[in-house]
């Protein structure tokens, strides 16, 4: 029976798998930058729509957000990835994955922004309007900056979730970090590549996790 | 035995790290006495009070309650010992997730092991005593500050304490609510409760205190009957403090 | 492709009645699997998180250090990585675990990590006076923790707890990767066998049936617990 070191922390195998994992990491980072970048913007737009006083706008958007929150991201991913081609739409795997995650994450970012927008006292927008700012100027210069500052820890926390989420792309064979690690595992019959991938995720995310904890405690106090 | 004071502090010292906050404090509170502690901010009044139920650990010295030294009391007995002192905080500290009557019942059940019926009866008696029996089922957030503080007094009284400790019980209250809390304290005195009160209510001290203690810089500067302290203070520091306070009161 | 024909094809591919009939029983039993897995993950995760937060409140370093490490690592790692390591790695050490067991252990542990943080944040946010009021009335540390501090910490954490429990219960869909016969696994294999997208629609509908009420409940709880103490 091989030991734990041999099976999980085998340096030789890790060294062999390293170039493969590095390629995967690159793909993961590309995916993250697209999903996080567009998610941050899309989420804000959705949140502005969801908090709009016009019900014909806010209600459908809220319904869409709840729909996305109710579907597991993997289901959304498989639906987009293997369902959409049935409808005759061609997409590269990268685009399909990005679209699915974006649908999921814009909804989560929107929820965070919405809480932020609601945390800004009404007096702030009234004061802005009273001093002659247009609606867009009021949002851009007064309301949104305060809203974002109030929910910065939650935005960060959601961003951590996005990075973790991209590991699901391995299920549809997009060659991101976890996919590469799992390939290496099945070739070498050894779990060390998975452990190495876990270590990479830790290095990437642990500082952010600490930051969120620190932040949240400070806000709470 | 009847002659021993209810609360006696001797040679009490308290340091936070290297900062000396209390130095050789000696203080006696006789049975049924109401002793008032005054002094500038940061003089150590709260710290002294909190040593009396060991919310703060004294660095050295002794504190006797009803003849028993609580400073060398083992940690295991601390909870029973704290039942002998009732503490009322500046910020009330009612439990916001419980109704008023449950606030008054909780420690009776958990610390005194009273059964629920006894605890509720006692709680209602105490609430009645502070004039709030009709609010028994309200939540603390539905009460005014003065009402909350009276509930906090009832919560402490329900445990049959030998001494009541008050740390600025009225300074978080709007002026028009102060009177209701002071009235409860006056009633308590009439019933013979022993009380040690930190407060800036000078008029109340003049009227109700048996003795006034002036603290500054972690020491007891002087003490005596209210007429003596207010009418004829012996120390410069006392005079300076009193004139500051009365100026302030006069300006209002 | 003209519009009506396109629409008809769309309906056939995504809402094929015959296929719905054929796979509905399988899907219903898969829903039961998803539901009970979700239930035991929530119960275990929240309970373990609560116990860990209580142990952490004792503030002794040999409890705090492992608890913080556990919470940090499980919050930083993608659950799928852990699932793969447990499912494919442990048999190499002679430890065999079924797919559902691996899924349960990993997701309950991840939820426990998040819950510990939520409860702990609530405990540290509690004004010190609440602790002092409890201790001053002669209650022990444990009694004050249980009757005064925890109820308030839990109440503060309810919206986050509900959201986090939901997010992690939805991850039972990851079971499809390691052969757990839950909703996604059953409908994916149905899709492969039938060559129709309809089972995927059914999966989406099944998840909506389970989680949409939960999302709406979460909204309600959030409003209810947000400003009132
Ligand atoms: N936990 C602590 N750690 C360090 N220093 C403390 C602590 N608690 C109190 N002190 C210091 O001890 C001194 C006395 O504080 P204390 O609260 O007893 O004063 P006080 O007379 O009650 O003042 P106030 O009228 O403002 O309530 C202050 O200088 C304060 O900064
Ligand atoms: Mg004080």
């Amino acid at each position: 029976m091989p030991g734990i070191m041999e099976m999980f922390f085998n340096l030789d195998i890790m060294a062999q798998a390293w170039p493969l994992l590095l390629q995967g990491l690159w793909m993961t980072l590309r995916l993250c930058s697209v999903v996080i970048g567009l998610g941050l913007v899309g989420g804000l737009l959705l949140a502005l729509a969801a908090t709009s006083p016009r019900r014909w706008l806010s209600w459908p958007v809220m319904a869409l957000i709840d729909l996305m929150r109710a579907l597991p991201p993997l289901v959304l991913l498989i639906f987009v990835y293997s369902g959409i081609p049935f409808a005759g739409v061609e997409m590269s795997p990268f685009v399909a994955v990005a679209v699915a995650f974006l649908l999921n994450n814009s909804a989560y970012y929107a929820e965070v922004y919405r809480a932020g927008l609601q945390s800004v006292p009404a007096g702030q927008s009234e004061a802005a309007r009273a001093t002659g700012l247009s609606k867009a100027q009021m949002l851009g210069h007064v309301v949104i900056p305060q809203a974002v500052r109030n929910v910065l820890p939650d935005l960060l926390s959601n961003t951590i979730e996005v990075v973790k989420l991209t590991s699901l792309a391995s299920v549809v064979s997009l060659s991101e970090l976890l996919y590469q690690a799992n390939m290496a595992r099945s070739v070498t019959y050894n779990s060390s590549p998975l452990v190495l991938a876990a270590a990479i995720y830790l290095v990437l995310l642990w500082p952010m996790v600490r930051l969120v904890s620190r932040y949240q405690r400070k806000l709470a106090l | 035995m009847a002659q021993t004071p209810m609360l006696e502090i001797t040679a009490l010292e308290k340091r936070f790290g290297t900062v000396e906050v209390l130095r050789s404090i000696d203080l006696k509170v006789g049975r049924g006495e109401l002793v008032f502690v005054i002094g500038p901010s940061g003089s150590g009044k709260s710290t002294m009070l909190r040593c009396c139920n060991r919310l703060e650990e004294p660095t050295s010295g002794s504190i006797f309650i009803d003849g028993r030294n609580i400073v060398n009391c083992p940690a295991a007995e601390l909870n029973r010992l704290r039942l002998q002192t009732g503490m009322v905080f500046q910020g009330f500290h009612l439990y916001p997730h419980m109704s008023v009557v449950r606030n008054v019942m909780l420690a009776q059940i958990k610390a005194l092991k009273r059964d629920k019926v006894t605890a509720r009866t006692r709680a209602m008696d105490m609430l009645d005593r502070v004039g709030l029996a009709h609010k028994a089922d309200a939540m603390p957030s539905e009460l005014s500050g003065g009402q909350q503080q009276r509930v906090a007094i009832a919560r402490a009284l329900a445990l049959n304490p030998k001494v009541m400790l008050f740390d600025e019980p009225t300074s978080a209250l709007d002026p028009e609510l102060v009177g209701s809390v002071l009235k409860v304290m006056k009633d308590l005195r009439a019933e013979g409760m022993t009380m040690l009160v930190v407060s800036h209510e000078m008029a109340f001290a003049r009227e109700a205190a048996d003795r006034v203690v002036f603290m500054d810089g972690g020491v007891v500067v002087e003490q005596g009957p209210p007429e003596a302290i207010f009418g004829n203070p012996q120390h410069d520091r006392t005079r300076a403090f009193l004139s500051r306070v009365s100026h302030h009161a006069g300006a209002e | 492709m003209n519009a009506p024909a396109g629409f008809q094809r769309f309906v056939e591919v995504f809402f094929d009645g015959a296929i719905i009939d054929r796979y509905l029983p399988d899907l219903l039993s898969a829903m039961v699997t998803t539901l009970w897995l979700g239930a035991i993950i929530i119960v275990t995760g929240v309970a373990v998180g609560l116990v860990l937060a209580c142990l952490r409140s004792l503030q002794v370093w040999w409890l705090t250090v492992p608890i913080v490490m556990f919470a940090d690592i499980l919050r930083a790692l993608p659950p799928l990585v852990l699932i793969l390591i447990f499912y494919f790695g442990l048999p190499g050490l002679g430890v065999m675990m079924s797919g559902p067991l691996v899924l349960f252990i990993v997701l309950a542990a991840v939820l426990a990590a998040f819950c510990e943080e939520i409860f702990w944040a609530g405990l540290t946010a509690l004004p010190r006076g609440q602790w002092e009021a409890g201790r001053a009335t002669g209650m022990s540390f444990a009694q004050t923790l249980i009757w005064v501090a925890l109820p308030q910490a839990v109440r503060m954490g309810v919206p986050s707890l509900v959201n986090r429990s939901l997010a992690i219960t939805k991850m039972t869909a990851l079971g499809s990767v390691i052969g757990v016969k839950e909703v996604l696994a059953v409908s994916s294999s149905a899709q492969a066998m039938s060559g129709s997208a309809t089972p995927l629609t059914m999966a989406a509908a099944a998840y909506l049936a389970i989680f949409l009420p939960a999302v709406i409940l979460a909204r309600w709880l959030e409003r209810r617990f947000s400003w009132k103490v």
Side-chain angles (χ1 to χ4, degrees), chain B residues 32-36 88 129-130 150 153 157 164 166 169-170 177-197 199 201-210:
Chain B
E33 248 194 324
L34 193 165
V35 173
F36 230 79
V88 177
R129 202 157 150 190
V130 300
R150 279 144 67 200
I153 294 173
L157 287 177
M164 285 289 285
F166 292 84
T170 56
L177 300 177
V178 169
S180 66
V181 173
L182 295 184
K183 176 176 180 306
V184 168
M185 293 169 67
K186 224 180 292 178
D187 293 348
L188 277 178
R189 176 174 189 264
E191 290 159 29
M193 175 60 77
T194 309
M195 294 190 269
L196 183 58
V197 181
S199 170
E201 300 291 339
M202 299 301 173
F204 180 70
R206 231 182 258 268
E207 175 190 342
D210 294 300

Side-chain angles (χ1 to χ4, degrees), chain B residues 16-17 19 21-22 39-48 50 56 90 167-168 198 200, chain C residues 128:
Chain B
F16 288 108
V19 187
V21 174
L22 296 177
S41 180
S43 55
K45 308 180 296 293
S46 297
T47 308
M48 181 185 76
R50 292 156 59 85
E56 272 340 322
Q90 180 176 357
D167 191 358
E168 307 200 22
V198 172
H200 297 303
Chain C
R128 211 164 64 118

Side-chain angles (χ1 to χ4, degrees), chain B:
Chain B
M1 185 71 195
Q3 299 316 310
T4 55
M6 186 61 96
L7 171 69
E8 180 172 10
I9 301 173
T10 54
L12 177 66
E13 312 263 339
K14 173 65 185 173
R15 277 193 295 272
F16 288 108
T18 56
V19 187
E20 262 203 328
V21 174
L22 296 177
R23 271 177 299 151
S24 53
I25 302 274
D26 291 296
L27 188 67
K28 283 191 186 122
V29 185
R31 287 160 200 272
E33 248 194 324
L34 193 165
V35 173
F36 230 79
V37 181
I38 59 174
S41 180
S43 55
K45 308 180 296 293
S46 297
T47 308
M48 181 185 76
L49 215 58
R50 292 156 59 85
C51 282
C52 294
N53 65 0
R54 284 184 57 184
L55 277 181
E56 272 340 322
E57 284 297 326
T59 308
S60 67
S62 336
I63 299 172
F64 297 90
I65 290 178
D66 203 7
R68 169 134 164 49
N69 188 353
I70 64 158
V71 174
N72 54 23
C73 161
E77 275 180 52
L78 207 53
N79 298 326
R80 262 198 298 138
L81 181 139
R82 283 187 174 133
L83 288 167
Q84 306 193 350
T85 51
M87 180 125 191
V88 177
F89 303 88
Q90 180 176 357
F92 331 136
H93 303 331
L94 294 185
Y95 310 131
H97 59 298
M98 296 180 179
S99 68
V100 162
V101 67
R102 297 251 296 119
N103 260 277
V104 184
M105 288 165 66
L106 184 67
Q108 293 187 64
I109 294 170
K110 300 301 167 191
L112 275 184
K113 310 288 180 205
R114 284 186 184 148
D115 64 83
K116 277 202 172 143
V117 177
T118 316
R120 178 173 290 271
T121 312
R122 173 86 181 151
M124 290 310 294
D125 281 353
M126 292 304 111
L127 287 173
D128 193 38
R129 202 157 150 190
V130 300
L132 286 172
H134 61 293
K135 292 286 186 187
D137 295 316
M139 296 304 275
S141 58
E142 297 161 11
L143 302 185
S144 75
Q147 291 172 328
Q148 289 189 45
Q149 192 61 297
R150 279 144 67 200
V151 173
I153 294 173
R155 177 171 71 180
L157 287 177
L159 302 166
N160 311 81
K162 293 177 175 167
V163 189
M164 285 289 285
L165 308 169
F166 292 84
D167 191 358
E168 307 200 22
T170 56
S171 34
L173 299 179
D174 291 339
E176 76 269 22
L177 300 177
V178 169
S180 66
V181 173
L182 295 184
K183 176 176 180 306
V184 168
M185 293 169 67
K186 224 180 292 178
D187 293 348
L188 277 178
R189 176 174 189 264
E191 290 159 29
M193 175 60 77
T194 309
M195 294 190 269
L196 183 58
V197 181
V198 172
S199 170
H200 297 303
E201 300 291 339
M202 299 301 173
F204 180 70
R206 231 182 258 268
E207 175 190 342
D210 294 300
R211 203 142 38 84
V212 174
V213 175
F214 174 68
M215 283 180 69
D216 193 6
V219 296
V220 173
V221 176
E222 70 174 297
Q223 52 177 307
E227 315 82 63
I229 298 288
F230 293 124
N232 182 22
Q234 299 300 306
H235 287 258
D236 291 345
R237 283 198 274 175
T238 317
R239 273 193 289 273
F241 173 73
L242 286 174
S243 81
R244 267 206 313 279
V245 174
S246 61
H247 262 296
H248 185 67
E252 269 178 351

Side-chain angles (χ1 to χ4, degrees), chain A residues 8 66 69-70 72 74-75 83 86 108 111 114 161 164 167-168 185 191 198 205-206 209-210 213 217 221, chain C residues 9 13-14 72 75-78 88-89 93 117 120 124 163-164 170 173-174 184 195 197 207 211 215 219:
Chain A
F8 290 94
D66 279 356
R69 292 211 305 162
L74 186 56
V75 174
F86 280 103
Y108 277 95
E111 276 298 287
R114 199 175 58 85
E161 292 305 312
K164 286 157 66 180
S167 67
L168 298 193
R185 174 198 62 79
S191 298
L205 294 179
W206 185 72
V209 166
R210 269 296 79 216
S213 277
R217 207 148 306 139
L221 284 175
Chain C
R9 191 178 119 71
V13 169
F14 286 94
D72 275 14
R75 286 183 305 147
L77 281 182
F88 293 113
L93 297 176
E117 277 301 303
W120 178 247
T124 51
N163 279 330
R164 196 52 77 174
K170 284 191 300 178
L174 298 183
L184 183 60
Y207 279 110
F211 288 112
V215 167
R219 264 202 199 298

